[in-house]
Amino acid sequence: MSQVTITLPDGSTKTVPRSTTVGDIATGISPRLASAAYAGMVNGHPVDLAYPLEEDATVRILTSKDAEALTVYRHSTAHLLAAAVTQLFPKVQCGIGPPTEEGFFYDFVVEKPFVPEDLDAIEKKMREIAQGDFVYERQMWPRDEAISFFEKRGEPLKVQLIEEKTAGQKVVSVYTIKDRDLFVDFCVGPHVPSSGRLKAFKLLNTSNAYWKGDARNQPMQRIYGTAFFSDNELKAYLSRIEEAKKRDHRKVGRDLGLIMFHPWAAGATFWLEKGTVLWNLLADYMRGILLPSGYAEVKTPLVFNKALWETSGHWQHYRQNMYLIEHHDESGKANPDAEQLALKAMNCPGHMLLFASEVRSYRDLPIRFHEQTPLHRNEVSGTLSGLTRVRQLSQDDAHCFVMESQIGEEVERVLRLVQRVFADFGLKPEMRLSTRPAEFLGAIETWNHAEGELKRALDAVGEAYTLNEGDGAFYGPKIDFDVIDAIGRPWQCATIQLDYQLPERFDLKYIGADNAEHRPVVIHRAIFGSFERFIALIIEHYAGAFPLWLAPVQVAVLPIADRHAAYAQGVRRQLADAGFRVQVDERQEKIGYKIREAQLQKVPYMLVVGDKEAADGNVAVRSRSGGDLGSRPLDVFIASAQDEVKLKAQSSALKAEG
């Protein structure tokens, strides 16, 4: 019998008979590893434990310690979900059921939408199937047989998938549970060995969906779930989900009077008075960071002729996500001969025109344009979600025009800005460097130089980063940033992207020291990302309890009785003169009620004033987090609070006296 040689992660090798399975390899290493194994990696590709080794290969056994195993586990749980649904609802049609970062989902065509009671019954059936410990088996069927099988089962969507994805193939991969008795799916896998390996899972909710995500296609019902290797991990996740619901920016933003939405302006935010204060605070904060750093704030038009978007490439590749402006004649009919216009979806093409508007010298570079004007993107209605997915947005957008030799230094400057900004919000960014993808534009030498400069800049700032090989944009490498919020969720915010293509498309030039024309490089960069998404992040990170420097209302002055109103107004004036955002609660309510209301509105400081305070010129200070801090002179409170704002402290800096 012929042999094959396998190489294990520690570099050791084994010679085994051809067709030995990955599971056999695990057993040969140790019975304990075999019992812990969920799947394997062969030459870097995930496979079942039943996968036969027919040639020399590198092999890694996947256990609960491996992220790849969790993906397999969740994909298998999606199949378990589909098996349960088809058992309970025989007329259902199955769509697709992939794993996700948070769990899994599966799409179904059903006669009527699922209700919570259905989810309970489905989850119960899933547990019954899991306890049966039925084998997940990959079978290779003749393509025609697979198509015929799913046609007879009334599964036209599966037939469509097979026809689209296996054209030219003679056989296709399907997975069965209990040898077709429970479930059959067109799928390339891999999956866990048997249903009994799936123990900690939970169905979460349902939503409307469309086949292939296109609203013109078949309407479907999507069931979301999550799965983990242990009950403790699942319970921790579910607790986090409950905490996330409490922090949901849509609810907190409404309760605090920050934002609202209306179906007549889907995907656009109504910024209420306090929300507008917060938005302006962030906009001015970013200006205060960027303008001293050599950025010039600009404003470009909101509407451009399609010629701009054709030059940039967006007309060819992004037009479906843009709002086009249609001209009409006096009768209301569309005029096809009129100038074609589109609302601005991003700032970069306009900034290219700004750069090209003058003769530029190498002495002028870097040139840094910063813009915060509104952008519009035609997002599908089903994807809209509060502030995190909108149609109208603004970015702390900037484009830095540099010489090739300035890339490393400029990227390092941006990285330090990113560190500074997120430190002010008590957030720590995690960085990822994405390198040249398989399909790219430009010369490999240019890419190598650009990637080297990004690595040098990352090393210079002294922060750890991960390498995403092959995940760069087609026009240049990039650095992406995630920040982890207070309950452990990652949010993608900042990005730095090198771009050699737009300068080429817009024929940008500068005069070099040699008096010849040269092409600049553009660095696209945003730190907040969009203001909308970043505000959603900080609302949920702080659960609406903003630190003093960010709070839309920083101080509430609470007179105990009507006779204290005049003194309260005097306190308000002094606070306002000192630069604080302050309100006076003059309602004829008990002081306890006023305090509770201010607490619910998450005001950082409450100043209670009564007879004694008015007589002594003091204020009785209450902190949102620290309770009663005692009485003190107003000027002492102002000085302490100003220090807290200046330091951008993340929690109250004032302490109780004594």
Side-chain angles (χ1 to χ4, degrees):
M1 182 182 295
S2 59
Q3 306 282 303
V4 296
T5 300
I6 62 159
T7 303
L8 298 173
D10 63 1
S12 63
T13 60
K14 288 180 178 291
T15 301
V16 297
R18 189 180 303 277
S19 298
T20 296
T21 68
V22 173
D24 292 335
I25 298 297
T27 301
I29 295 172
S30 80
R32 184 175 180 181
L33 178 62
S35 65
Y38 287 94
M41 297 288 285
V42 174
N43 294 330
H45 299 288
V47 299
D48 300 312
L49 291 178
Y51 181 85
L53 298 164
E54 304 294 349
E55 59 185 11
D56 296 349
T58 60
V59 176
R60 178 160 62 95
I61 307 301
L62 299 179
T63 70
S64 60
K65 297 178 181 179
D66 299 293
E68 300 96 332
L70 185 58
T71 299
V72 173
Y73 187 92
R74 287 173 169 170
H75 190 186
S76 301
T77 312
H79 275 227
L80 182 66
L81 162 62
V85 170
T86 54
Q87 292 289 301
L88 293 172
F89 304 90
K91 295 182 179 179
V92 75
Q93 288 185 47
C94 294
I96 59 171
T100 67
E101 289 186 4
E102 296 288 314
F104 59 89
F105 68 80
Y106 211 110
D107 291 341
F108 304 95
V109 178
V110 292
E111 294 179 330
K112 59 181 182 178
F114 293 116
V115 296
E117 292 77 13
D118 293 332
L119 292 193
D120 292 339
I122 293 167
E123 189 173 311
K124 181 179 178 182
K125 177 60 73 173
M126 289 173 68
R127 298 196 185 283
E128 290 177 8
I129 298 172
Q131 290 167 6
D133 197 24
F134 301 116
V135 172
Y136 279 72
E137 182 182 7
R138 187 185 192 194
Q139 299 178 0
M140 302 304 295
W141 292 3
R143 184 172 184 269
D144 291 343
E145 179 184 324
I147 291 173
S148 176
F149 176 84
F150 285 107
E151 282 178 340
K152 291 176 181 177
R153 278 171 55 109
E155 297 268 17
L157 302 183
K158 291 295 180 186
V159 172
Q160 183 181 341
L161 282 179
I162 294 171
E163 290 176 340
E164 289 177 353
K165 294 183 176 296
T166 66
Q169 297 181 21
K170 294 183 178 180
V171 295
V172 300
S173 170
V174 300
Y175 272 83
T176 67
I177 302 178
K178 199 182 177 183
D179 192 24
R180 307 194 196 186
D181 290 350
L182 285 174
F183 186 60
V184 183
D185 204 355
F186 165 59
C187 178
V188 297
H191 288 286
V192 299
S194 65
S195 62
R197 302 299 300 274
L198 308 173
K199 300 182 184 298
F201 54 81
K202 179 69 177 174
L203 298 186
L204 300 174
N205 53 58
T206 65
S207 71
N208 295 323
Y210 295 98
W211 177 236
K212 297 183 178 179
D214 189 332
R216 296 168 296 184
N217 289 342
Q218 173 76 56
M220 308 187 80
Q221 280 277 292
R222 175 170 295 177
I223 297 179
Y224 289 96
T226 192
F228 291 88
F229 291 120
S230 71
D231 284 330
N232 286 340
E233 290 174 300
L234 177 60
K235 289 175 182 176
Y237 175 81
L238 295 177
S239 295
R240 195 178 82 185
I241 291 296
E242 287 304 309
E243 180 62 28
K245 289 179 182 177
K246 297 175 187 175
R247 293 168 177 260
D248 189 322
H249 70 275
R250 292 164 294 190
K251 179 182 183 300
V252 175
R254 181 183 64 248
D255 292 344
L256 297 184
L258 302 174
I259 56 174
M260 65 166 273
F261 300 94
H262 195 281
W264 290 354
T269 310
F270 289 78
W271 296 97
L272 306 179
E273 179 184 357
K274 289 194 284 187
T276 302
V277 169
L278 180 59
W279 201 101
N280 288 334
L281 277 170
L282 293 176
D284 290 340
Y285 165 82
M286 188 54 70
R287 291 186 178 101
I289 292 287
L290 296 182
L291 299 187
S293 300
Y295 287 76
E297 184 170 8
V298 298
K299 289 184 181 294
T300 56
L302 302 184
V303 178
F304 283 97
N305 185 285
K306 77 168 185 176
L308 175 86
W309 307 110
E310 287 175 330
T311 303
S312 69
H314 291 98
W315 195 259
Q316 297 89 329
H317 303 293
Y318 197 75
R319 181 169 41 173
Q320 71 276 12
N321 297 108
M322 298 173 67
Y323 283 105
L324 309 184
I325 298 176
E326 200 172 63
H327 287 268
H328 297 82
D329 59 25
E330 293 179 356
S331 66
K333 294 182 179 179
N335 180 3
D337 299 322
E339 179 184 22
Q340 287 188 275
L341 303 170
L343 279 174
K344 179 169 64 173
M346 59 279 299
N347 292 310
C348 31
H351 290 186
M352 302 303 117
L353 297 184
L354 285 178
F355 184 91
S357 66
E358 299 179 23
V359 176
R360 308 289 182 177
S361 163
Y362 74 97
R363 300 179 190 275
D364 302 324
L365 304 184
I367 290 174
R368 309 176 182 99
F369 293 141
H370 167 63
E371 184 164 8
Q372 298 181 4
T373 51
L375 306 173
H376 291 83
R377 297 176 182 176
N378 188 13
E379 302 285 358
V380 177
S381 60
T383 66
L384 301 176
S385 179
L387 295 173
T388 58
R389 193 69 176 265
V390 292
R391 289 172 172 163
Q392 178 178 298
L393 66 146
S394 295
Q395 296 178 322
D396 67 309
D397 204 5
H399 296 90
C400 307
F401 298 81
V402 299
M403 295 185 285
E404 190 86 24
S405 61
Q406 295 172 321
I407 291 174
E409 180 182 354
E410 188 66 16
V411 171
E412 182 181 339
R413 287 170 60 95
V414 175
L415 289 171
R416 295 195 186 281
L417 281 177
V418 171
Q419 289 178 314
R420 175 184 171 183
V421 168
F422 287 123
D424 284 344
F425 292 87
L427 298 165
K428 184 175 176 59
E430 296 180 350
M431 300 183 285
R432 302 187 309 278
L433 171 60
S434 298
T435 58
R436 185 178 68 247
E439 295 184 8
F440 62 93
L441 295 178
I444 288 181
E445 294 78 13
T446 301
W447 276 85
N448 290 340
H449 173 73
E451 290 172 6
E453 288 296 288
L454 293 188
K455 289 177 183 176
R456 189 194 68 73
L458 285 163
D459 292 336
V461 299
E463 294 285 351
Y465 63 92
T466 57
L467 194 61
N468 273 8
E469 294 282 2
D471 199 41
F474 69 90
Y475 52 78
K478 61 178 181 173
I479 301 171
D480 290 319
F481 302 80
D482 286 340
V483 293
I484 309 302
D485 70 10
I487 59 174
R489 298 171 302 175
W491 295 68
Q492 186 171 343
C493 293
T495 186
I496 302 172
Q497 299 183 0
L498 291 190
D499 187 354
Y500 292 86
Q501 301 309 312
L502 280 183
E504 187 75 29
R505 282 179 168 272
F506 282 88
D507 194 25
L508 302 186
K509 301 170 184 175
Y510 68 89
I511 306 302
D514 58 358
N515 211 33
E517 291 182 338
H518 298 270
R519 189 82 70 203
V521 179
V522 170
I523 300 174
H524 302 251
R525 49 108 297 194
I527 300 177
F528 289 160
S530 77
F531 282 91
E532 285 75 8
R533 183 174 175 80
F534 189 75
I535 289 174
L537 160 60
I538 61 174
I539 289 173
E540 298 195 12
H541 175 65
Y542 294 119
F546 299 110
L548 183 64
W549 74 278
L550 271 179
V553 177
Q554 295 171 304
V555 184
V557 182
L558 311 178
I560 293 175
D562 286 349
R563 64 181 180 274
H564 308 124
Y567 180 66
Q569 287 295 340
V571 169
R572 183 199 65 78
R573 285 192 294 273
Q574 291 184 67
L575 287 164
D577 289 345
F580 289 99
R581 299 178 291 277
V582 56
Q583 290 182 349
V584 178
D585 188 345
E586 294 185 315
R587 293 175 297 174
Q588 293 181 343
E589 300 284 357
K590 292 182 179 180
I591 191 63
Y593 178 85
K594 294 181 179 182
I595 291 171
R596 284 193 299 275
E597 285 288 293
Q599 285 282 161
L600 287 173
Q601 287 298 301
K602 304 185 186 295
V603 179
Y605 288 111
M606 293 142 271
L607 305 184
V608 179
V609 295
D611 291 335
K612 190 173 188 306
E613 286 76 25
D616 297 340
N618 287 353
V619 290
V621 182
R622 291 187 64 87
S623 163
R624 176 183 61 206
S625 57
D628 186 2
L629 302 183
S631 181
R632 63 194 69 190
L634 179 58
D635 59 350
V636 172
F637 169 79
I638 287 174
S640 297
Q642 284 176 328
D643 287 342
E644 187 175 329
V645 169
K646 184 177 180 180
L647 293 171
K648 294 184 172 58
Q650 297 301 303
S651 59
S652 174
L654 279 85
K655 306 297 180 185
E657 292 190 337

